[in-house]
Amino acid sequence: MNLREALKAGEKTLAEAGIADAPTDARLLLWKAAGITLTEYALDPFREMGEEEVREYLELIGRRKKRIPLQHLTGEQEFMGLSFQVNRDVLIPRQDTELLVEEALKLLKPGMHVLDLCTGSGCIIISLERIGKERGLADETGSFTGSDISPGAVRTAMANAARHQARALFTESDLFEKLEGGYDMIISNPPYIRTAVIEELEEEVRCYDPLLALDGKEDGLHFYRRIIREAEGYLNPGGWLLFEIGYDQREAVTELMKQQGYRQIQVKKDLAGLDRVVIGRYDRM
Ligand code: GLN
């Protein structure tokens, strides 16, 4: 079997299994099994595959057919132009979340101490540090910290920081529990799905993203309530709080922030036109 024949067979199998983006998935799995890039494929699509390559490809296609997410098979997901290691301990980085990083970059200044709660793979704080440094918005006088309640997530985030040589530190902590104060920016994409809605999510998300990273408890707002209340003790005067939110959480989250004394509250929409990011400033005298 040559590369092209394998690809066609893989596409067909995935499409018949109802996988949404069968051609893309079949391609990325072929690159992995054959150890090639798109360019190498384009140069010689009729190269005969080795037995071992074919066997590995068919196995990957078979696993994807069973709804194991593509990213768990390739072991990575790109976010803000960087490739992050992913596994069952972390939520696969979503493109929607790039808006949160872009908004944080608008507020970032050299010397700031930044905290990312519920860091998961570390994609938010690591890309913020990397891109911040590139743009002259971050230097050694500031700091970048990520925390997560899951030991597996903290391990993964540390591996990702090493992969990108990011100057970011990670702590295993239930929100602020193990942290000390003094942050200029707190950023978070917490679990925000209502418990009852989780069973309606697609299989790739419901069965393979960690439940811990999705479940926002009964009304989906559990972690916003806790973070908005507890952040008071950890934000410097004039410090910023930035959240990713679900499409229908704008009012609830902005109201919680107002009640707690946050000002300059802004909501930003994602590329699909849905409310996605809420920003507020804690102006303590
Ligand atoms: N945006 C994710 C999803 O749609 C949920 C992430 C979260 O709860 N923070 O599955």
Side-chain angles (χ1 to χ4, degrees), residues 45-253:
F46 301 106
R47 163 165 91 65
E48 279 303 314
M49 290 174 77
E51 231 173 81
E52 185 53 29
E53 286 176 341
V54 173
R55 195 197 56 72
E56 190 183 336
Y57 186 54
L58 295 179
E59 188 189 315
L60 288 169
I61 291 289
R63 289 167 73 197
R64 182 67 191 99
K65 190 177 156 185
K66 289 191 197 141
R67 302 273 161 183
I68 297 176
L70 174 74
Q71 296 87 341
H72 285 181
L73 299 175
T74 61
E76 56 188 24
Q77 170 64 40
E78 193 183 299
F79 181 83
M80 295 301 288
L82 300 169
S83 162
F84 289 89
Q85 178 192 319
V86 298
N87 52 50
R88 300 224 24 194
D89 287 323
V90 301
L91 184 90
I92 295 170
R94 311 286 206 257
Q95 201 191 348
D96 294 333
T97 306
E98 293 185 345
L99 180 66
L100 184 62
V101 177
E102 279 159 15
E103 291 301 323
L105 282 165
K106 293 183 190 165
L107 300 172
L108 188 66
K109 294 195 176 65
M112 276 190 170
H113 297 283
V114 185
L115 171 65
D116 172 26
L117 293 172
C118 314
T119 197
S121 66
C123 65
I124 293 172
I125 194 79
I126 292 168
S127 56
L128 190 60
E129 193 275 343
R130 288 290 75 197
I131 299 167
K133 176 120 194 289
E134 224 172 78
R135 296 189 189 168
L137 304 170
D139 63 19
E140 296 68 45
T141 60
S143 65
F144 293 82
T145 306
S147 87
D148 204 289
I149 195 170
S150 150
V154 171
R155 266 198 307 278
T156 307
M158 283 174 169
N160 278 320
R163 175 188 274 219
H164 294 295
Q165 296 174 331
R167 217 171 50 78
L169 295 171
F170 295 91
T171 312
E172 189 185 321
S173 172
D174 180 5
L175 298 186
F176 296 99
E177 189 191 14
K178 302 273 171 58
L179 300 169
E180 284 173 28
Y183 295 103
D184 303 297
M185 189 190 290
I186 297 176
I187 182 167
S188 186
N189 173 20
Y192 59 66
I193 313 274
R194 280 181 281 128
T195 306
V197 171
I198 288 178
E199 61 191 58
E200 297 166 18
L201 300 175
E202 59 182 12
E203 199 171 328
E204 282 88 340
V205 176
R206 179 165 46 81
C207 300
Y208 294 97
D209 275 318
L211 184 61
L212 203 59
L214 298 171
D215 190 359
K217 315 254 175 180
E218 199 178 343
D219 67 356
L221 300 168
H222 175 84
F223 293 96
Y224 298 114
R225 267 192 212 97
R226 279 187 61 193
I227 294 170
I228 289 168
R229 195 174 56 231
E230 296 173 27
E232 267 196 71
Y234 295 84
L235 270 174
N236 288 331
W240 296 97
L241 180 58
L242 293 86
F243 284 122
E244 173 169 323
I245 59 163
Y247 71 95
D248 57 355
Q249 292 174 320
R250 169 198 184 119
E251 261 171 48
V253 175

